[in-house]
Amino acid sequence: MIPFLDLKGINAQYREQLIKAAIDVIDSGWYIQGEQVKAFEEEFANYCGTKHAIGVANGLDALILIFRAYKELGKLKMGDEVIVPANTYIASILAVTENGLKAVLVEPDESSFNLSLEAVKNAISPNTKAILAVHLYGQLADMPTINAIAKTHSLLVIEDSAQAHGVSLDGKKSGNWGDAAGFSFYPGKNLGALGDAGAVTTNDDELAQTIRSLGNYGSHKKYENLYQGVNSRLDELQAALLRVKIKHLDVDTSRRKNIALAYVKGIQNPAIQQPIAAESTLETLEIHVFHLYVIRTEQREALQAYLSAAGVQTLIHYPIPPHQQQAYARWNSECYPLTEAIHQQVLSLPISPVMSDEEVNVVIEACNAFQAD
């Protein structure tokens, strides 16, 4: 079986370096907020092109703390509206509602699955205070236009970059387009830790200081607490492991793009809708880092079963949209036709940086051999 994502194989490439990094942390005797965290924060900020990177416990906390900090700074208040794509992973919306803000769901653009610019414009009301731009599956949202809309209406722009490490447009990376961005380093991400981890990036000094304090019990100075904060800190061990892996991120991303190009040029089955244009090149793929390669088909269950029988593991991202989840029962009667169709039709093919060319060809051949009803 070709695994959807061979995490063991990915980390095996750097095994000795990871072991040394772990030993260095163990031998240091310092396990929370030490030199490894400081070094990784500096390295990740430099990678993203931002002034600040603040390590936190996970990607959800990164987004929660951004909105919480803006509330503490008086730029957001309870009940303010935040525009969010309806087809995102639920974490994006949890970060909004956890802060007592109102998530305003909008349909995505059908070609990119990212925010529809027209839908954003139509959703803006006097209570709208922010746009949460999700770079879904690793593709950069249309940030120049989103920023222009936000500027016109004096809105904050927050990037959900959980799936978009290193994606860029004109050399400017995700995490450096909005007022702040939340990143996840969950093990399956393009830059993955060996446990939960996350970060916030921003160029706003005051916001960075507030988030750092909020994630450390609300303390800016030991035993002095400015806020009723939480404990959400990137630990030394995960920071050390991430410092190893960030050095290889661009190489891994390049491999993902080459696999994507092989898929789009090789899969010719008319029952399968590709996420990128057939004439794509490495240059045109600057805006995508392929955390996921998500195809669309009206015969998802049959195709997934066929691929499994052919030795290809696939996953569904995501089977149930947020507005149909029990957690948001108040939205269950609402209708988002495009979002619902996407969640019923998408299927993610394997796209691991350690996939062999032979494995890629097996996936292509299996997709082409599938016969739609």
Side-chain angles (χ1 to χ4, degrees), residues 337-372:
L338 178 53
T339 291
E340 291 162 18
I342 288 171
H343 284 258
Q344 291 165 6
Q345 296 173 358
V346 292
L347 187 66
S348 301
L349 300 181
I351 188 162
S352 163
V354 295
M355 283 181 73
S356 67
D357 290 344
E358 181 181 359
E359 289 175 321
V360 173
N361 288 331
V362 168
V363 176
I364 293 171
E365 291 171 4
C367 286
N368 286 334
F370 172 72
Q371 294 184 358

Side-chain angles (χ1 to χ4, degrees), residues 20-77:
K20 182 182 183 305
I23 290 172
D24 288 345
V25 172
I26 294 168
D27 290 348
S28 74
W30 195 304
Y31 308 120
I32 298 290
Q33 292 189 310
E35 293 303 316
Q36 294 290 345
V37 169
K38 292 178 184 176
F40 175 72
E41 288 178 338
E42 181 177 344
E43 290 163 7
F44 192 64
N46 289 339
Y47 181 80
C48 295
T50 57
K51 289 179 66 176
H52 304 282
I54 305 99
V56 296
N58 54 69
L60 175 57
D61 280 4
L63 292 174
I64 288 175
L65 288 169
I66 290 170
F67 288 113
R68 171 73 188 280
Y70 276 128
K71 288 175 64 182
E72 296 289 352
L73 294 172
K75 295 186 178 181
L76 291 174
K77 65 180 185 304

Side-chain angles (χ1 to χ4, degrees), residues 251-318:
V251 173
D252 284 352
T253 298
S254 179
R255 177 58 181 160
R256 287 176 179 271
K257 291 184 178 184
N258 279 298
I259 295 171
L261 285 174
Y263 282 162
V264 75
K265 297 182 188 305
I267 297 174
Q268 303 294 323
N269 194 324
I272 295 173
Q273 180 179 327
Q274 302 266 23
I276 56 176
E279 62 272 16
S280 295
T281 65
L282 285 175
E283 289 71 26
T284 62
L285 291 182
E286 181 188 22
I287 63 168
H288 210 318
V289 291
F290 295 99
H291 171 58
L292 299 171
Y293 192 90
V294 182
I295 60 173
R296 189 173 170 186
T297 176
E298 294 182 356
Q299 301 196 39
R300 180 174 68 188
E301 286 70 26
L303 176 59
Q304 185 173 39
Y306 182 87
L307 292 177
S308 179
V312 177
Q313 182 187 27
T314 60
L315 294 179
I316 299 172
H317 297 89
Y318 304 95

